[in-house]
Amino acid sequence: MVKDIEVELRGVLNQDQYNKAKKLFEKVASFKENKSRILIDYSTFLPGEGIRNRQRDIRVRVTNGIPEIVVKLGSWGGSESRRELLFKGKKEEFETLVEIFGQLGFIKGTLAKRDAIIYDYKGIEFALVKTPGQHYYFEAEKMAHSKADFKKVENKIRKVCKELRLKVISKDGFFKFIEELNKTDNQIFEFKDFKKNYFKDKFGM
């Protein structure tokens, strides 16, 4: 059975906490990879979705040069269990995906850049994430079967986070953090401004 349910918890870090977590993971966890990602989150501007009430998380993104379409179904917050649908394209196809989405009516979104260090610890994937504006946070996730006991998986992740002294953010705190990032780090993408080499010109990718 395919594991397509993402159980994920998050927490905000300051720079000192980020550096301490990085040193700790270097000692106790297995390094997986570095991720450099640019994404467009369309759901923020979709009718009936937005930030706090969304049930569909619709994005296009490019991760380490590989373009992706990702759709997550279900509510989100500081912790959640959502079905994840993921399609990966080929290098150099990201602008084509953005063009296709624009022609399908996805003409406005939140544009963001994120850099993350990915580790595996006790079967849980941890990401230490840094934004261009020097905000920091962590994500802890584990994929599960659709019929899995999500609460049991979530409690396991919470227990490991507590062991690592990583504080999971509340739902309201998470939304406030997203709203802060939208003011300080993220940008507005509008398809009407899209042109060839748009992302190369903006991010040097």
Side-chain angles (χ1 to χ4, degrees):
M1 186 182 296
V2 176
K3 291 185 177 182
D4 61 353
I5 303 296
E6 179 187 73
V7 183
E8 183 173 23
L9 283 70
R10 307 178 183 86
V12 178
L13 305 169
N14 59 35
Q15 187 174 13
D16 183 59
Q17 290 169 330
Y18 173 90
N19 290 333
K20 287 180 179 178
K22 183 172 179 288
K23 288 181 180 179
L24 178 61
F25 279 122
E26 287 171 351
K27 291 180 180 179
V28 303
S30 299
F31 170 79
K32 293 182 69 175
E33 63 178 328
N34 291 306
K35 282 186 180 179
S36 180
R37 174 176 288 165
I38 294 168
L39 65 92
I40 302 174
D41 168 13
Y42 293 107
S43 295
T44 301
F45 297 99
L46 291 179
E49 299 293 345
I51 294 177
R52 292 176 178 263
N53 299 314
R54 72 175 61 177
Q55 294 295 316
R56 296 178 303 156
D57 199 330
I58 301 173
R59 305 181 180 204
V60 293
R61 64 193 191 194
V62 56
T63 305
N64 294 346
I66 303 299
E68 301 168 320
I69 299 170
V70 60
V71 178
K72 298 183 182 183
L73 304 174
S75 61
W76 72 332
S79 60
E80 74 262 351
S81 302
R82 298 189 290 175
R83 185 181 180 204
E84 180 180 77
L85 306 172
L86 176 65
F87 170 81
K88 292 188 177 184
K90 299 177 182 178
K91 283 191 174 183
E92 310 299 330
E93 291 183 337
F94 183 56
E95 290 196 344
T96 301
L97 290 184
V98 175
E99 174 78 24
I100 290 171
F101 268 68
Q103 297 301 335
L104 289 172
F106 294 86
I107 58 173
K108 191 173 183 179
T110 299
L111 177 63
K113 185 179 187 302
R114 300 288 184 265
D115 292 300
I117 310 171
I118 312 300
Y119 300 93
D120 182 88
Y121 182 67
K122 294 189 174 181
I124 300 167
E125 182 179 285
F126 283 87
L128 296 180
V129 187
K130 180 167 62 175
T131 75
Q134 304 302 301
H135 285 84
Y136 305 88
Y137 59 96
F138 76 86
E139 296 175 336
E141 70 173 62
K142 188 174 179 67
M143 298 302 293
H145 297 300
S146 59
K147 293 184 179 180
D149 182 348
F150 303 137
K151 197 65 183 176
K152 185 177 180 180
V153 174
E154 179 184 326
N155 287 339
K156 178 183 177 180
I157 299 175
R158 284 186 183 276
K159 183 179 179 180
V160 174
C161 286
K162 186 176 181 180
E163 171 194 330
L164 296 169
R165 297 184 179 180
L166 295 173
K167 185 178 180 181
V168 177
I169 196 169
S170 68
K171 191 169 187 175
D172 187 60
F174 171 73
F175 292 139
K176 288 179 179 177
F177 182 60
I178 292 297
E179 289 163 353
E180 179 182 350
L181 291 180
N182 284 340
K183 294 176 182 177
T184 60
D185 289 75
N186 302 337
Q187 304 173 46
I188 302 298
F189 171 81
E190 298 205 55
F191 185 64
K192 65 181 178 62
D193 299 323
F194 178 70
K195 58 184 179 181
K196 187 176 181 180
N197 295 324
Y198 177 92
F199 300 99
K200 183 177 181 180
D201 293 341
K202 188 174 287 289
F203 298 106
M205 60 170 285

